[in-house]
Amino acid sequence: VDAFDGLVNSLPLMSLVDNSCVVLHGGLPRHHQPWLRVRIEEIDRMRRPLPMPTTMDTRSEQTLYDLMWADPMERPGIGLNERGGDIRSFGPDVTQGFLDAWGMRLLIRSHEVPGRQPSFRGRGFEWWHPVVEGDEPKPISQAQKGYCLTVFSASEYCGCAANAGSYVVFGGIRGGFQIVEYTAVEAERSLMAEAKSDLSVQAAARQQPEARRFAEDRSLSQGLLDRGVIDAIVEHKHKLLAEFLAVDRQHDWFLKPENWTACCHRVLPLIPWESYIGKTSIVPMKDGRVCYTLFLTRFQIQFRNKLGQHSGFRRKLTDQMFEGLLRADYSLRETLQAVDLNGDGCVSAEEFASALVRFGKFLTPEQAKTLYRTTIMPEGGSIRVEDFLAGLSVRFALSHPKLTTGETDFVPAQLDAICRDILDLSGVSSAKESIAVTLRRFFEEADNQRKHGYLEPEELIAALKPLRSCSSLSEEQLKAIVEYIDFNGDRRINYVELLNAFCVRHAEGGSQTGSEVGQGPKALVEDMLEAVHRVLHFEYAEPLRSLLRRLTPPGCTRCTPAKFEKGLSVLNASAGNGLLTTRQIQCLVETLDLDTQSGELEGHFDFEQYFGSLRIVDTMAGEDTDERADGGGGDDDDESLE
């Protein structure tokens, strides 16, 4: 590592090509005024090796920092950079001024994945600071569309960005230049094809073990390529589903290979999808057609911590969603009835998701677009609202549940009705407070004498009698309810402990058959869970890691929940409307497992381990895609769609 650092510190800060083109990593210096402008000779005198400065106190430190990290922007002048810190952005006047002053005609730089300008998304290059006829300096050739060119050689950056790579070829004495684009898949296969050709030509001179090693390397390389494709599928599966549904005229969840590849190309144009037809480990086929529901659901992003830590998020998210649905029941019904135009009790998954965004803030608008399991419903992508909401109930779940007799069989269901009556009495129609808070307030009002957390049987019976669900119950039935929830049989009801036994659940209905991927609340929970994991993995992991590293001592990977929440909230606020809801962030923070050993790190957790636990999993094979890549591509013939 030290040797590599030394090499990087010794590389040139800037190169000149054909006395007309400036090549560097980041951008141009902030000192751009004619009387302050940095000269090329000044940069040349900055002798290497030279480490990256830690302060911005001098002109040379600022110049070095800008050459490495600055980015182009559309507006003129020098401005702050969205990357933060001391990083700057430079405008078209800065580029033209620098080039014209020193007799150059084009600036080529890298440093960022192309695509900040929508027209260059997915490309391997990006033009900045357009050339206008009559401007100085004159362009090198007609191929030059701007004075600043971003060239990015890493296709599919970090395995998740759907970008091409590119390089520039200069014509030498012929003049001009050419931009060559490629994808990692194409480049890798080209190299492997050349290597395979060399192997066949020299086969007689090579020993069998070397050929075996080549085959193993090729298998590993293909596995890595497949992992990149799988990552792209998981990140964009909701967009892929929209394309598939638009083309699937028969609504049977199958597409012809040519239609499937056309849909995939519209979403991810740089992947050679045709080459994956027949590769059943990724693309499931039946009777010559692609089952796109299994294609989308096979690979999922899940939280898999090897130590079993931070595992409470699923339960917490489920509890909050079902509680919120129960509280918003009436408003949801009214809203969904308004969009149920034919009165059949069914609404589309999109309409249902929009209602969830509006009432209770269970989802962000962006997450509402990613409910792909909920969208793939047996009834043509529709949801029967009454069945869904009627299935919600407040369950009384004791750690050691009591047996009921013929006379007390009614009690568990009666507790559900009692809880609903208490919620109605509270007058809170929104989902702003938890059911536990509302129920606790009811019991505290009943405990109006001592306020010690216990109720005498007579006190509880007196509180229950006015409820609609209890008005027709006999004195014996009310006593049966009290005895059932008397944990210790000591005729003292600990209502704090009682509240912990209540949770909202859904009586799951329907069955899964054929290609029916999911239905109702179970599918909704899985969709919400993966939506949150997707944001954490693809959107927030790297910037939040970087932020937390700045907030913690060098080499330390542990932080407090407060720092984690603050960093996550700042990132979420900077993402426009936010990719996570406030509730989801609270759930993530509240379910962190913290260090319990006394000392400086008590109450901390390892954030690197946390983000490393987000893995893309093959649900059919029960393994991580990283493990698939490490073990090679596998045999495509051993899996089929039954």
Side-chain angles (χ1 to χ4, degrees), residues 469-487:
S469 57
C470 298
S471 60
S472 61
L473 297 181
S474 66
E475 195 75 17
E476 288 72 21
Q477 288 175 314
L478 290 171
K479 289 180 180 179
I481 294 174
V482 172
E483 290 175 2
Y484 183 82
I485 59 181
D486 181 3
F487 295 98

Side-chain angles (χ1 to χ4, degrees), residues 99 131 157 164 174 282 287 293 296 373 378 402 419 480 488 499 521 525 533 545 556 579 589 595 608 629:
L99 295 176
V131 172
Y157 185 54
R174 294 174 295 173
I282 294 180
D287 299 331
T293 56
L296 292 174
R373 292 181 190 84
K402 293 183 177 181
C419 286
N488 303 318
L499 294 177
V525 169
H533 288 162
R545 271 173 162 159
C556 179
L579 301 179
V589 174
D595 296 326
E608 292 287 359

Side-chain angles (χ1 to χ4, degrees), residues 545-564:
R545 271 173 162 159
S546 177
L547 181 60
L548 293 176
R549 287 168 189 153
R550 294 184 183 183
L551 299 176
T552 53
C556 179
T557 61
R558 300 183 116 73
C559 75
T560 62
K563 287 183 178 179
F564 179 79

